[in-house]
Amino acid sequence: MTHIRPATRADVATILEFIRGLAEYEKMLHEVKITEADIAEALFGPSPKVFCDMAEANGMAVGYALWFYNFSTFEGGHGLYLEDIYVAPEARGTGAGLALMRHLARRCRDEGLRRLEWQVLDWNSVAIGFYDRLGADAEPTWILRRLSGEALGKLAA
Amino acid sequence: MTHIRPATRADVATILEFIRGLAEYEKMLHEVKITEADIAEALFGPSPKVFCDMAEANGMAVGYALWFYNFSTFEGGHGLYLEDIYVAPEARGTGAGLALMRHLARRCRDEGLRRLEWQVLDWNSVAIGFYDRLGADAEPTWILRRLSGEALGKLAA
């Protein structure tokens, strides 16, 4: 039985391990620069703008969901943007992912958040099937654009 | 010459007009539910989580950018997510859009935000060309998923 609870400072090392597990699954491990200090500062520093819930089974952390508040000017209110969701390999198929998604949906209901949104890699058919079963819409007409590194610095200059 | 300044309460009616202009351009006017009260509460209530900058030319508001902080667990830090950018029809081609993007890029530089991100409709070739000229990456392998309304309520139940 999976239990969901807010992350605490004691989870920082586990969260880093899980972030690396997610990145490995997404074939992006080479992109991971985050450190335990970054996680501690973002989640447990003053006025955090990002939040983390842990999935736990038999007293062991088996997954996490990391999220922040987004906003829709069309809806006229805040939503919840799920940046990461991850379940450790040994806990897959136990309902931990569903428990995390349900927990987030309940937060949306309780806080009046209009949308729960996230992004999925187009080749991740296992995750896509899971999200389809939850009844999630796909919005393929929106293309994510990003400025970072040199291009971002150049525009700022 | 375009000047960028933070939005104030006096801009609320203009922001609503611009949001409706953006929605009309995006063929989504039927989806706009936001009111002046929603805008005032989100931008100027206690502890706002969403922010707005106005583009001004000759003392007149000609556009806006509405944004919030996102977070990348791979980068290990916050970024800036641009929810809306809009320039009124009569001010297009005057550099107001570029001035808004440059202002946001400077905020990223000054606050140490790693990424400036947004989404664009795949048929909006004018905007896509503008973003290409800024050097923005396209990340087409990420599909936006969304739970809202009945499906969101069902998962929460």
Side-chain angles (χ1 to χ4, degrees):
Chain A
M1 189 62 196
T2 309
H3 167 70
I4 311 297
R5 59 165 178 81
T8 71
R9 280 185 183 272
D11 295 308
V12 166
T14 305
I15 295 168
L16 180 56
E17 181 195 322
F18 286 172
I19 288 171
R20 295 182 63 86
L22 174 62
E24 193 171 10
Y25 181 84
E26 292 185 331
K27 309 185 204 309
M28 292 179 169
L29 192 50
H30 58 287
E31 290 190 21
V32 177
K33 299 173 199 158
I34 199 167
T35 64
E36 290 191 20
D38 293 330
I39 296 169
E41 188 187 337
L43 294 178
F44 308 111
S47 309
K49 294 190 278 288
V50 56
F51 306 92
C52 186
D53 293 308
M54 306 301 290
E56 210 170 59
N58 305 315
M60 287 273 294
V62 297
Y64 79 110
L66 189 138
W67 56 274
F68 50 82
Y69 293 97
N70 66 5
F71 188 82
S72 165
T73 47
F74 294 177
E75 286 288 334
H78 289 282
L80 190 157
Y81 186 85
L82 175 59
E83 176 67 19
D84 285 355
I85 181 167
Y86 177 77
V87 174
E90 63 275 16
R92 288 182 196 153
T94 64
L98 180 60
L100 284 164
M101 291 300 290
R102 175 163 288 135
H103 184 83
L104 297 171
R106 287 181 175 160
R107 180 181 293 277
C108 290
R109 180 192 62 193
D110 297 346
E111 296 187 12
L113 306 168
R114 321 291 170 93
R115 293 171 170 174
L116 170 53
E117 292 179 304
W118 64 97
Q119 288 178 90
V120 63
L121 286 162
D122 61 1
W123 53 257
N124 190 354
S125 54
V126 173
I128 288 170
F130 171 59
Y131 300 141
D132 286 346
R133 288 192 296 280
L134 298 181
D137 296 333
E139 306 280 349
T141 62
W142 290 102
I143 303 170
L144 178 64
R145 304 297 306 252
R146 179 183 293 163
L147 276 167
S148 58
E150 207 174 313
L152 181 58
K154 201 173 147 193
L155 180 58
Chain B
M1 188 63 196
T2 310
H3 166 71
I4 311 298
R5 60 165 179 80
T8 71
R9 280 183 183 274
D11 296 308
V12 167
T14 304
I15 294 168
L16 180 57
E17 181 195 323
F18 286 172
I19 288 170
R20 295 182 63 85
L22 175 62
E24 193 170 11
Y25 182 85
E26 291 185 332
K27 309 184 204 308
M28 291 178 171
L29 192 51
H30 59 286
E31 290 189 22
V32 176
K33 300 173 198 158
I34 199 167
T35 64
E36 290 192 21
D38 293 331
I39 295 169
E41 188 188 337
L43 294 177
F44 308 112
S47 309
K49 293 188 279 287
V50 57
F51 307 91
C52 186
D53 294 307
M54 305 302 289
E56 210 171 57
N58 305 316
M60 287 273 294
V62 296
Y64 79 110
L66 190 138
W67 56 274
F68 51 81
Y69 292 98
N70 67 5
F71 188 81
S72 165
T73 47
F74 293 177
E75 287 289 334
H78 289 282
L80 190 156
Y81 186 84
L82 175 60
E83 177 67 19
D84 285 356
I85 181 168
Y86 176 76
V87 174
E90 63 276 15
R92 288 183 196 153
T94 64
L98 180 60
L100 284 165
M101 291 300 291
R102 175 163 288 136
H103 184 84
L104 297 171
R106 286 180 177 160
R107 180 181 293 279
C108 290
R109 179 193 62 193
D110 297 347
E111 297 187 11
L113 305 168
R114 320 293 169 91
R115 294 170 170 172
L116 169 53
E117 292 180 303
W118 65 96
Q119 289 177 91
V120 64
L121 286 162
D122 62 0
W123 53 258
N124 190 352
S125 54
V126 173
I128 289 170
F130 171 59
Y131 301 141
D132 286 347
R133 289 192 297 281
L134 298 181
D137 296 333
E139 306 279 349
T141 60
W142 290 103
I143 303 169
L144 179 64
R145 304 298 304 254
R146 180 183 293 161
L147 276 167
S148 59
E150 205 174 316
L152 181 58
K154 201 172 148 196
L155 181 57

